[in-house]
């Protein structure tokens, strides 16, 4: 019985993964370059949409702290009403 000839299956799979990962990184770098070049000439609204919503890191830290200390009130009725309003816009 032959136990080994050439690369083992696992090292062949690993080599293929490395090659494919390199292609993906090269493609994503090219995509990022294209996106940043096109966003430079985009309208202000398009740039704002690409940047995403503003995030208030201080507010997030305050909420995390309140949750950790057990001082964050949860109004289940208000949450349920909002969820229903999202699903059934005419129900409110």
């Amino acid at each position: 019985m032959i136990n080994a000839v050439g690369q083992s299956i696992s090292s062949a799979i690993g080599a293929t993964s490395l090659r494919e990962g390199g292609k993906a990184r090269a493609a994503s770098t090219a995509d990022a370059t294209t996106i940043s070049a096109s966003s430079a000439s985009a309208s202000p609204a398009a740039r704002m949409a690409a940047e995403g919503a503003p995030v208030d890191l201080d507010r997030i830290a305050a909420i995390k702290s309140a949750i950790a200390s057990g001082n964050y009130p949860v109004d289940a009725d208000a949450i349920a009403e909002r969820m229903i309003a999202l699903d059934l816009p005419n129900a409110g």
Side-chain angles (χ1 to χ4, degrees):
M1 179 166 151
I2 299 173
N3 290 331
V5 174
Q7 282 184 322
S8 70
I9 300 251
S10 62
S11 62
I13 291 171
T16 302
S17 297
L18 288 174
R19 280 195 306 273
E20 295 303 318
K23 289 178 188 175
R25 280 192 300 278
S28 67
T29 302
D31 290 344
T33 303
T34 302
I35 290 169
S36 63
S38 66
S39 66
S41 63
S43 70
R47 280 195 305 264
M48 289 173 64
E51 291 171 2
V55 177
D56 185 350
L57 296 178
D58 292 333
R59 179 73 176 138
I60 292 171
I63 292 171
K64 283 184 176 183
S65 176
I67 291 170
S69 66
N71 295 325
Y72 188 79
V74 177
D75 185 353
D77 291 331
I79 293 170
E81 287 175 14
R82 290 273 180 104
M83 291 176 69
I84 292 170
L86 286 172
D87 284 339
L88 306 171
N90 296 327

